Amino acid sequence: MPVPLFLAQLAQPLSPGVYRSSMEFGSVPLKSFGVVVGESTGAALESAALKGVELGPLHATA
């Protein structure tokens, strides 16, 4: 997933929560938005061991 542009402008980690990108990725008819979660939300999702949920870190590029 492409890294959201706002990520490079953050002064601190995202607050707990679930966020979506304003852009859609993929090809029609399978276009969808990117989902970004805060670190603590990601940890809670991982500990819940939900099937089909894939999480990975996002790193801003300069």
Side-chain angles (χ1 to χ4, degrees):
M1 177 176 92
V3 176
L5 297 176
F6 71 84
L7 192 61
Q9 301 170 359
L10 292 177
Q12 57 191 13
L14 285 174
S15 298
V18 179
Y19 308 90
R20 65 167 279 175
S21 66
S22 58
M23 297 178 67
E24 292 187 339
F25 305 96
S27 301
V28 175
L30 302 175
K31 281 187 144 189
S32 65
F33 52 86
V35 177
V36 179
V37 298
E39 288 183 38
S40 62
T41 304
L45 289 171
E46 284 182 334
S47 69
L50 301 172
K51 291 184 179 183
V53 176
E54 296 180 22
L55 300 173
L58 293 176
H59 301 283
T61 56

